[in-house]
Each structure stands twice: as C-alpha cells, then as structure tokens.
Amino acid sequence: MKFNTTALLTSRNTLLSLCVLTAMMALGTSNTAHAGGVALGSTRLIYPQGEKQVNMTISNSDKEQSFLVQSWVSDADGHKSDKFLITPPLFVLKPAKENIVRVMYTGPVLATDKESLFYLNSKAIPSVDKGAIKGNALQIATQSVIKLFVRPANLPVKSSEAPGMLRCDFKSGELIISNPSPYYITLVEFVVDGKRFPNTMVPPKGTQSIKASSGAIAFQTMNDYGALTPKQFCK
C-alpha cells in the first residue's frame, strides 16, 4: 500500500484534482467502488480563547480504503498560519476508522472583544495498490476546509442573539449589512427582493455590502453547530 505524498504537499496539484473530482461528480462518471471517504466531524470549529486546545474528529467511512491525511490552519486570507500547532499533522486513516486531531493556538493574544477567523484544512489522499493499476490512473486528493472561530470569553451577548442584531440599509444601489455583535454571522438562504444571493459572511463589528437597491431582506444563519436558524427578516 503506497501513498503519493507529493500530492499532499503541492497545492496546484490539489486544485487540479479537486476540479477533476467536481467535474466527475457533476457528470456522474465517478468510477469508485467505495461508498464514503474522509470527513470532518463538524462544519465549523469554535476555539474558546485561552483554552490549551480543541479537538476535531476526522473519520473514514470507506470500508476498504486507507487515506493519508494532512491538516493545517490558514488565516482569513488563505495563507498557512504559524500561530497554530496541530497534532498529528500527518497520519494514515484506516478503513472505517476515525482519529482525533488536536488544534492548539500558540500565537500572540488576539482581540478580546470579538471573534477572530481562521480556517481548518484537511487534505486526504487515497492509498494505491500499484499491483492492481493497469495503464494510466487518476489519483484524486480531496480537501475539506471549515471555519475556525477563536472566541473570547465573557462576550456581552450570546452567539444565538447575534443574528437579531443585524441592521440593513440601502444606499447608492447597495445593500449594506451592519453587524454590531462580536460574532461572525453567515447568512444562508439569503434573499433580497425575491432574488437569491450566495452565502454571505458579515464580520463582527463590521459591514458587508452587496449590489441591491430595494426590497424585503430574508435570511437564515448558521449556528455554532452548523445548523440553520429560523428564517428572519433584516430590519
């Protein structure tokens, strides 16, 4: 059983592989015989500021194939961050097994009045039985990316209260969404005047704008567990 570690370390190859995987899924032409693969245990990770570490489960639902898994943290701009330590950073995940990675913040003190945003990345590449390969073969590495929020203690409002604090204003052909809360808020099922917009994240104590001139504004948000909140309207 061999692993192509070069694919794990080369982002350009990974991007190509992801594009190929997306195309195969869209066309329904994937020839894999295995149901399942590598998945993270949640769609977002909350890191209480001051804690020594938080854990994330990574599982392999494939009953036959092993994967080589590499994990790291990137900043809001997508650059690998040296402010976090992940153990183990690289490991083999056997069929129908799971492993826990520990995420530890080792950088300077972050803002204490609002959340800070990072991303947890996990890349998986399947094992290859070279004896079973005939001719050319395509090996696809997949990468999962979820939001990692470093959250200060003793914030003045609960995260569940934050969506109700959003304020919306139309100005010069734009909808400006203001978020006075200390939390990042992700709008989903986001509709303005009957037109659906992509998921939109509004930073804490900041604003986000989109091209829209008028109309009713409806949305749902993602809570700390990755579940959708009830539909509401922006005031």
Side-chain angles (χ1 to χ4, degrees), residues 17-32 138 140:
S17 296
L18 287 171
C19 291
V20 172
L21 176 61
T22 301
M24 291 174 67
M25 292 175 65
L27 295 172
T29 57
S30 175
N31 60 359
T32 178
L138 175 65
I140 299 176

Side-chain angles (χ1 to χ4, degrees), residues 18-189:
L18 287 171
C19 291
V20 172
L21 176 61
T22 301
M24 291 174 67
M25 292 175 65
L27 295 172
T29 57
S30 175
N31 60 359
T32 178
H34 308 295
V38 175
L40 298 178
S42 66
T43 59
R44 57 195 50 225
L45 185 61
I46 309 298
Y47 193 123
Q49 191 167 330
E51 290 291 323
K52 292 183 177 180
Q53 66 180 43
V54 292
N55 297 335
M56 170 62 69
T57 300
I58 302 180
S59 60
N60 179 9
S61 59
D62 195 302
K63 296 181 180 180
E64 298 180 24
Q65 196 165 49
S66 295
F67 291 83
L68 185 63
V69 180
Q70 181 185 33
S71 301
W72 71 95
V73 173
S74 56
D75 60 23
D77 296 320
H79 304 300
K80 188 173 182 178
S81 174
D82 60 359
K83 298 179 175 63
F84 288 85
L85 177 65
I86 291 187
T87 58
L90 188 69
F91 62 91
V92 175
L93 190 55
K94 294 183 178 182
K97 297 294 183 180
E98 64 179 33
N99 196 14
I100 293 177
V101 295
R102 294 170 173 81
V103 182
M104 293 167 276
Y105 182 73
T106 58
V109 177
L110 296 169
T112 58
D113 62 340
K114 61 181 180 180
E115 288 184 326
S116 297
L117 174 66
F118 296 89
Y119 291 91
L120 176 63
N121 302 261
S122 184
K123 190 184 298 183
I125 186 168
S127 59
V128 175
D129 183 354
K130 290 189 175 181
I133 294 178
K134 295 182 179 179
N136 295 328
L138 175 65
Q139 188 175 20
I140 299 176
T142 59
Q143 183 171 328
S144 300
V145 183
I146 65 171
K147 295 169 184 174
L148 191 167
F149 301 105
V150 179
R151 178 174 296 174
N154 303 316
L155 292 175
V157 296
K158 298 178 180 179
S159 60
S160 59
E161 299 172 347
M165 300 173 66
L166 292 177
R167 294 295 179 265
C168 299
D169 183 40
F170 290 104
K171 184 177 181 180
S172 302
E174 288 190 326
L175 168 61
I176 301 174
I177 308 169
S178 300
N179 176 15
S181 85
Y183 302 93
Y184 280 90
I185 302 176
T186 300
L187 308 183
V188 297
E189 300 297 326

